[in-house]
Amino acid sequence: VTARTREPFLLDPGIVFLNHGSFGARPRVVLEAQEKLRRELEANPVEFLARRSGALLDGALSRLGAFLRSDPEDLAFITNASAGVAIAAASVRLGRGDEVLGTDHEYGAAERTWRQAAAHSGASYRAVQIPFPWRGKADFLSRMEDAITKDTRVLFASHVTSPTAIRFPVEELVALARSRGLVSVIDGAHAPALVDADLSSIGADYYMGNCHKWMCAPPGAAFIRVDRGRHAEVEPPIAGWGMLAEESGSRDHDSYAGTTPLQRRLRWLGTRDPTPWLAVPAAIDFLEGADWAGARPQRAALARSTVEKAAALLGPALPDLGFDLPMRTLSLPECDPIALKELLFGRFGIEVPVIVFGGRQYLRLSFHLYNDESDASALLEALGECFPGGRPLPDISGERP
Ligand SMILES: Cc1ncc(COP(=O)(O)O)c(C=O)c1O
């Protein structure tokens, strides 16, 4: 039995929130820390932004680096993982005929970003099919390796996939890329605090991740890690004061636009609110204080048992994944996904994403600190009512009457 730890969060007590995966959710203490920083900023915006922000960001990056096991000098704060994919896609400078290989489990917006970057340079993007249910590491790696051609320049994959909650073996994928002279780009949008990420060991050329999902930091807190040898290759999304300083040698902007090649490309993209990033240490304090590392296996076990109980109600379970995460897909009988999502929220107050993958429907369950067995029971009860005898109610069957 897990302890109910909803109190620190601001979530509406009237809903069952099983969708931490989409936008996260934050505890009060993190927002209070951010609000305190905002007030400091407002006391003297010039002092805070122009004179102090660089040093403050360095401090926050050091803490993040320790959490993710990365040298902070290889990290830069960005607004979200989407921006990170766009930065990587621009920085690899695709040429005519080049090919980027991804998988068919990638986040739609990320795939769109690659397709656009490829189209602008006469390159192409190809999604390698990875069967679901998941067949394991070796199957994944051989499919990726077999897909490499003489035109392949980049291997792109999620650390944890958005539609299917698979943890891809990114360490091995990065090693494969390196052995073939390819650039590795890993989309870690979900990974920080969902898995025990060790970014130095993964060693990707580009790795982007969100702090505003499983780390419970404010929206707008994300990072990119760039391999040391590629800092000067980073294409800044806005070539502003940092690049001016880089080119002219001027020191006028050092306190906020930074001094290293990576800082000068990504730190000062015009006036922005840095408080989501500066509140990242408060989010790490919260996770550590609440012993998320200890609670995470319990939440993963709860996700697994919920999926198993649902299978007893609804049909066969997915085969064993070989790993347990607190985010997990639950296989549904055929149904209308939009109607089901509306019914689950409208009638039962359950916030949970309904996913369509390979023409089949799934729920993606997320169990964070604030979730416990009562949430799982509420979901199972609702599913029992939506699928009596394992068959969808007429209004969610997708069949025209
Ligand atoms: C795998 C993956 N990549 C990228 C993103 C985009 O994250 P953001 O909206 O924070 O940019 C998500 C969001 O869920 C995701 O799941």
Side-chain angles (χ1 to χ4, degrees), residues 21-22 80-83 107 110 158 160-162 187 189-190 210 212-213 364:
S22 283
N80 49 48
S82 301
Y107 188 66
S158 294
V160 178
T161 62
S162 171
D187 177 357
H190 282 282
N210 283 328
H212 55 219
K213 288 190 195 275
R364 188 188 70 192

Side-chain angles (χ1 to χ4, degrees), residues 28-106:
R28 206 170 276 108
V29 286
V30 169
L31 296 177
E32 283 167 0
Q34 185 187 15
E35 178 59 18
K36 187 161 168 283
L37 288 157
R38 284 201 162 120
R39 285 175 185 276
E40 263 183 64
L41 186 160
E42 290 308 328
N44 182 346
V46 175
E47 168 73 7
F48 196 94
L49 291 173
R51 286 195 278 269
R52 287 180 61 207
S53 68
L56 292 171
L57 289 168
D58 283 339
L61 282 175
S62 288
R63 192 73 198 285
L64 180 65
F67 186 76
L68 299 170
R69 277 165 273 163
S70 166
D71 188 325
E73 285 186 21
D74 298 323
L75 297 173
F77 282 120
I78 54 176
T79 303
N80 49 48
S82 301
V85 175
I87 290 166
S91 302
V92 297
R93 294 184 179 80
L94 295 170
R96 181 159 298 280
D98 286 349
E99 183 182 62
V100 178
L101 285 185
T103 81
D104 58 345
H105 296 244
E106 300 313 321

Side-chain angles (χ1 to χ4, degrees), residues 75 78 80-89 92 100-103 106-107 110 114 125 140-141 144 154-161 166-178 182-192 195 197-210 223-227 230:
L75 297 173
I78 54 176
N80 49 48
S82 301
V85 175
I87 290 166
V92 297
V100 178
L101 285 185
T103 81
E106 300 313 321
Y107 188 66
W114 280 110
Y125 176 88
F140 169 83
L141 291 166
M144 294 304 283
V154 177
L155 294 188
F156 172 64
S158 294
H159 194 169
V160 178
T161 62
I166 298 171
R167 188 180 64 211
F168 279 157
V170 291
E171 293 82 356
E172 288 92 334
L173 188 73
V174 168
L176 170 65
R178 184 161 307 121
L182 308 175
V183 181
S184 54
V185 180
I186 302 300
D187 177 357
H190 282 282
V195 301
D198 180 341
L199 300 196
S200 302
S201 301
I202 294 170
D205 290 310
Y206 296 91
Y207 183 110
M208 57 290 305
N210 283 328
F223 66 88
I224 186 167
R225 180 181 191 273
V226 182
D227 182 72
R230 296 192 184 271

